[in-house]
Amino acid sequence: SAVISQKPSRDICQRGTSLTIQCQVDSQVTMMFWYRQQPGQSLTLIATANQGSEATYESGFVIDKFPISRPNLTFSTLTVSNMSPEDSSIYLCSVATSGGAGMSQYFGPGTRLLVL
Amino acid sequence: SQKIEQNSEALNIQEGKTATLTCNYTNYSPAYLQWYRQDPGRGPVFLLLIRENEKEKRKERLKVTFDTTLKQSLFHITASQPADSATYLCAPRSYSGNTPLVFGKGTRLSVIA
């Protein structure tokens, strides 16, 4: 398993500003993912951030809006740029580890973002 | 396109009864399927994984079945307790094991004392 922490746990931001969310893992992992969960909705994958390569974004998400860094195997950041109220969401970091039963995925506690 | 459906958005049951949640999928050939629990304002927590060649998996009061013919998984909580109240998410995964999980919308379970 993996223990994941995120900072900040929550924030209230003004529209037009940017927020960088940090994700720290207690072990080295190759595969890391960022998800968004809007109120009352399920999780939506934003991007895959594997160390040593550029992040891969899902349809509807672009690097200019959600730049991601992955400087090493235990850390990643997601920036929400030029925020609008529609960006109010929980942002979740997730990592994948491989085991005998295949790939297991673990989630951080999330960052709750409110944009005014 | 791939689709995951969980039977209902909300399910209310009496304490002590068995809760049964359904996950149906289409346009998938999952090698295995995972179930997660999510409490309000928190990240999902892994509960159980069942492989395509396993019909049933148990863990304490939890039981998961996997029917690849029906393209369905059932998640049971026996002797349910108010502490079991949460949203439960299913996520099938194909043989392309390095792809991230895609989740259903979840079923919000409320166990009433």
Side-chain angles (χ1 to χ4, degrees):
Chain A
S1 66
V3 177
I4 306 167
S5 59
Q6 286 185 232
K7 287 183 183 178
S9 58
R10 57 177 61 219
D11 207 342
I12 300 173
C13 301
Q14 297 296 319
R15 70 171 65 211
T17 62
S18 298
L19 176 72
T20 295
I21 302 167
Q22 299 179 5
C23 176
Q24 181 74 52
V25 189
D26 69 340
S27 57
Q28 294 186 336
V29 292
T30 302
M31 290 175 283
M32 189 175 278
F33 313 105
W34 286 96
Y35 286 80
R36 179 173 78 180
Q37 187 172 30
Q38 293 180 304
Q41 302 296 313
S42 189
L43 288 79
T44 301
L45 180 67
I46 297 172
T48 299
N50 292 338
Q51 200 271 337
S53 62
E54 295 290 318
T56 304
Y57 290 82
E58 297 299 303
S59 176
F61 298 96
V62 295
I63 188 171
D64 289 346
K65 175 69 175 177
F66 297 101
I68 288 170
S69 79
R70 185 78 203 274
N72 57 52
L73 290 173
T74 63
F75 187 78
S76 177
T77 66
L78 170 76
T79 299
V80 187
S81 304
N82 188 24
M83 288 184 284
S84 67
E86 292 71 34
D87 294 319
S88 298
S89 236
I90 299 175
Y91 291 85
L92 294 143
C93 170
S94 177
V95 302
T97 63
S98 295
M103 194 171 87
S104 297
Q105 212 168 312
Y106 302 91
F107 288 83
T111 295
R112 186 184 293 268
L113 171 63
L114 176 63
V115 184
L116 302 176
Chain B
S1 62
Q2 295 176 333
K3 196 173 178 183
I4 304 165
E5 289 182 338
Q6 295 193 237
N7 57 324
S8 57
E9 287 193 14
L11 179 66
N12 298 325
I13 64 164
Q14 207 69 33
E15 181 178 10
K17 301 290 186 184
T18 296
T20 298
L21 286 64
T22 304
C23 174
N24 295 295
Y25 57 89
T26 53
N27 297 323
Y28 267 103
S29 295
Y32 49 96
L33 191 144
Q34 302 185 20
W35 283 89
Y36 285 76
R37 167 181 174 144
Q38 187 175 26
D39 291 286
R42 312 293 292 272
V45 174
F46 172 75
L47 294 176
L48 275 172
L49 177 153
I50 186 166
R51 300 175 189 172
E52 62 173 345
N53 61 351
E54 296 176 316
K55 295 296 183 188
E56 181 180 298
K57 193 75 140 326
R58 291 176 185 262
K59 179 182 176 182
E60 298 171 355
R61 292 185 295 110
L62 308 180
K63 185 179 85 171
V64 173
T65 63
F66 194 9
D67 189 326
T68 55
T69 301
L70 292 178
K71 295 186 182 295
Q72 180 181 82
S73 175
L74 299 179
F75 179 83
H76 306 273
I77 305 175
T78 58
S80 60
Q81 304 166 1
D84 295 326
S85 299
T87 296
Y88 292 86
L89 304 164
C90 75
R93 187 190 294 284
S94 70
Y95 277 110
S96 301
N98 290 339
T99 55
L101 289 174
V102 175
F103 291 88
K105 285 191 174 181
T107 297
R108 189 174 65 253
L109 174 68
S110 296
V111 181
I112 303 160

